[in-house]
Amino acid sequence: MSQPCLPPSFSLSPATAKSGASITVAADDASCNPRYGENAQIQVEVYDGSGAKVLETLAPMNDAGAFSVSLDLPTDAVPGEGMVAAYPYNVDWCDDMGRNNRVGALGAQEITLVSCAIPSMPLRIEP
């Protein structure tokens, strides 16, 4: 059985930002070979201090999971402890069983879904 190949960890810069400011979410290539494909995308979601989703976007991601996307926080984002989540779009990226569970994979007869926490990082939003 092959080893699991989970998405690479991502970074958030800055981790504290004012409403209306720009943040950058990025990741380097994974240390394994996730084979996301040439048209892979990353889904990025930003939650404000109230827990409301204030941004959601798709951005290009390379075959090995690397990406970089800059986002402007809404000016009406509620200050406090928010969160940024980033995960591969339209794939079962949580492959902790070591199986190729890619949604739409050629020849896939059956997909084994597994339960995992969505990769996220805290974001402090200041007024």
mmCIF file of all heavy atoms in Angstrom, residues 9 11 17 19-20 37 64 70 74 83 87 89 92 96 105 113 115 123:
data_model
loop_
_atom_site.group_PDB
_atom_site.id
_atom_site.type_symbol
_atom_site.label_atom_id
_atom_site.label_comp_id
_atom_site.label_asym_id
_atom_site.label_seq_id
_atom_site.Cartn_x
_atom_site.Cartn_y
_atom_site.Cartn_z
ATOM 1 N N SER A 9 1.164 21.736 3.572
ATOM 2 C CA SER A 9 0.746 22.788 4.504
ATOM 3 C C SER A 9 0.833 24.129 3.789
ATOM 4 O O SER A 9 1.683 24.326 2.937
ATOM 5 C CB SER A 9 1.664 22.809 5.723
ATOM 6 O OG SER A 9 1.563 21.599 6.431
ATOM 7 N N SER A 11 0.741 28.580 4.037
ATOM 8 C CA SER A 11 1.089 29.701 4.899
ATOM 9 C C SER A 11 0.101 30.832 4.682
ATOM 10 O O SER A 11 -0.561 30.902 3.641
ATOM 11 C CB SER A 11 2.512 30.191 4.605
ATOM 12 O OG SER A 11 2.591 30.689 3.287
ATOM 13 N N ALA A 17 -4.505 41.126 10.220
ATOM 14 C CA ALA A 17 -4.747 42.144 9.189
ATOM 15 C C ALA A 17 -5.987 42.949 9.534
ATOM 16 O O ALA A 17 -6.887 42.470 10.224
ATOM 17 C CB ALA A 17 -4.918 41.483 7.826
ATOM 18 N N SER A 19 -9.500 44.955 8.445
ATOM 19 C CA SER A 19 -10.552 44.826 7.437
ATOM 20 C C SER A 19 -10.152 45.665 6.231
ATOM 21 O O SER A 19 -9.657 46.777 6.378
ATOM 22 C CB SER A 19 -11.887 45.330 7.995
ATOM 23 O OG SER A 19 -12.284 44.556 9.093
ATOM 24 N N GLY A 20 -10.284 45.122 5.040
ATOM 25 C CA GLY A 20 -9.919 45.823 3.815
ATOM 26 C C GLY A 20 -8.492 45.571 3.362
ATOM 27 O O GLY A 20 -8.130 45.902 2.234
ATOM 28 N N GLY A 37 -3.068 17.163 -11.240
ATOM 29 C CA GLY A 37 -3.385 17.399 -12.646
ATOM 30 C C GLY A 37 -3.062 18.817 -13.074
ATOM 31 O O GLY A 37 -2.877 19.716 -12.260
ATOM 32 N N ALA A 64 1.660 19.386 -8.093
ATOM 33 C CA ALA A 64 2.219 18.966 -6.807
ATOM 34 C C ALA A 64 1.626 19.722 -5.624
ATOM 35 O O ALA A 64 2.063 19.561 -4.492
ATOM 36 C CB ALA A 64 3.733 19.128 -6.823
ATOM 37 N N SER A 70 -3.542 36.044 -3.513
ATOM 38 C CA SER A 70 -3.722 37.230 -2.664
ATOM 39 C C SER A 70 -5.197 37.613 -2.670
ATOM 40 O O SER A 70 -5.845 37.590 -3.719
ATOM 41 C CB SER A 70 -2.881 38.386 -3.172
ATOM 42 O OG SER A 70 -1.517 38.108 -2.980
ATOM 43 N N PRO A 74 -12.866 41.884 3.060
ATOM 44 C CA PRO A 74 -13.943 42.874 2.936
ATOM 45 C C PRO A 74 -13.807 43.947 4.013
ATOM 46 O O PRO A 74 -13.370 43.666 5.134
ATOM 47 C CB PRO A 74 -15.215 42.041 3.158
ATOM 48 C CG PRO A 74 -14.820 40.630 2.910
ATOM 49 C CD PRO A 74 -13.375 40.532 3.282
ATOM 50 N N MET A 83 -10.555 32.770 10.432
ATOM 51 C CA MET A 83 -9.880 31.570 9.971
ATOM 52 C C MET A 83 -9.771 31.604 8.457
ATOM 53 O O MET A 83 -10.631 32.145 7.767
ATOM 54 C CB MET A 83 -10.687 30.342 10.404
ATOM 55 C CG MET A 83 -10.155 29.028 9.900
ATOM 56 S SD MET A 83 -11.223 27.634 10.339
ATOM 57 C CE MET A 83 -12.449 27.747 9.052
ATOM 58 N N TYR A 87 -7.978 24.090 0.517
ATOM 59 C CA TYR A 87 -7.914 22.666 0.198
ATOM 60 C C TYR A 87 -8.157 22.462 -1.294
ATOM 61 O O TYR A 87 -8.805 23.272 -1.941
ATOM 62 C CB TYR A 87 -8.930 21.875 1.030
ATOM 63 C CG TYR A 87 -10.324 22.429 1.027
ATOM 64 C CD1 TYR A 87 -11.273 21.979 0.118
ATOM 65 C CD2 TYR A 87 -10.696 23.421 1.928
ATOM 66 C CE1 TYR A 87 -12.556 22.502 0.110
ATOM 67 C CE2 TYR A 87 -11.976 23.940 1.931
ATOM 68 C CZ TYR A 87 -12.903 23.471 1.019
ATOM 69 O OH TYR A 87 -14.172 23.994 0.999
ATOM 70 N N TYR A 89 -9.600 21.691 -4.757
ATOM 71 C CA TYR A 89 -10.983 21.766 -5.218
ATOM 72 C C TYR A 89 -11.360 20.526 -6.030
ATOM 73 O O TYR A 89 -10.614 20.069 -6.888
ATOM 74 C CB TYR A 89 -11.161 23.011 -6.081
ATOM 75 C CG TYR A 89 -12.511 23.107 -6.749
ATOM 76 C CD1 TYR A 89 -13.650 23.386 -5.994
ATOM 77 C CD2 TYR A 89 -12.654 22.904 -8.111
ATOM 78 C CE1 TYR A 89 -14.893 23.470 -6.597
ATOM 79 C CE2 TYR A 89 -13.894 22.992 -8.720
ATOM 80 C CZ TYR A 89 -15.008 23.270 -7.949
ATOM 81 O OH TYR A 89 -16.231 23.348 -8.545
ATOM 82 N N ASP A 92 -11.070 14.292 -3.603
ATOM 83 C CA ASP A 92 -11.082 13.777 -2.240
ATOM 84 C C ASP A 92 -9.644 13.813 -1.762
ATOM 85 O O ASP A 92 -8.917 12.842 -1.836
ATOM 86 C CB ASP A 92 -11.652 12.365 -2.200
ATOM 87 C CG ASP A 92 -11.658 11.793 -0.791
ATOM 88 O OD1 ASP A 92 -11.510 12.582 0.163
ATOM 89 O OD2 ASP A 92 -11.778 10.575 -0.640
ATOM 90 N N ASP A 96 -6.062 9.541 3.582
ATOM 91 C CA ASP A 96 -5.266 8.962 4.660
ATOM 92 C C ASP A 96 -5.271 7.439 4.662
ATOM 93 O O ASP A 96 -4.677 6.808 5.507
ATOM 94 C CB ASP A 96 -5.680 9.514 6.020
ATOM 95 C CG ASP A 96 -7.102 9.171 6.415
ATOM 96 O OD1 ASP A 96 -7.798 8.478 5.648
ATOM 97 O OD2 ASP A 96 -7.515 9.595 7.497
ATOM 98 N N ALA A 105 -11.351 10.235 -11.226
ATOM 99 C CA ALA A 105 -10.145 9.561 -11.724
ATOM 100 C C ALA A 105 -10.534 8.531 -12.780
ATOM 101 O O ALA A 105 -11.549 7.846 -12.669
ATOM 102 C CB ALA A 105 -9.414 8.884 -10.568
ATOM 103 N N LEU A 113 -14.479 7.481 0.627
ATOM 104 C CA LEU A 113 -14.364 8.780 1.280
ATOM 105 C C LEU A 113 -13.912 8.581 2.715
ATOM 106 O O LEU A 113 -14.290 7.620 3.371
ATOM 107 C CB LEU A 113 -15.697 9.517 1.239
ATOM 108 C CG LEU A 113 -16.219 9.857 -0.153
ATOM 109 C CD1 LEU A 113 -17.583 10.519 -0.062
ATOM 110 C CD2 LEU A 113 -15.254 10.766 -0.883
ATOM 111 N N SER A 115 -12.871 10.752 6.541
ATOM 112 C CA SER A 115 -13.182 11.950 7.293
ATOM 113 C C SER A 115 -11.894 12.621 7.771
ATOM 114 O O SER A 115 -11.075 11.991 8.410
ATOM 115 C CB SER A 115 -14.044 11.586 8.492
ATOM 116 O OG SER A 115 -14.273 12.712 9.291
ATOM 117 N N LEU A 123 -6.717 33.591 11.583
ATOM 118 C CA LEU A 123 -6.528 34.932 11.036
ATOM 119 C C LEU A 123 -7.127 35.927 12.013
ATOM 120 O O LEU A 123 -8.329 35.860 12.305
ATOM 121 C CB LEU A 123 -7.214 35.068 9.674
ATOM 122 C CG LEU A 123 -7.307 36.485 9.101
ATOM 123 C CD1 LEU A 123 -5.910 37.036 8.804
ATOM 124 C CD2 LEU A 123 -8.182 36.503 7.857
#
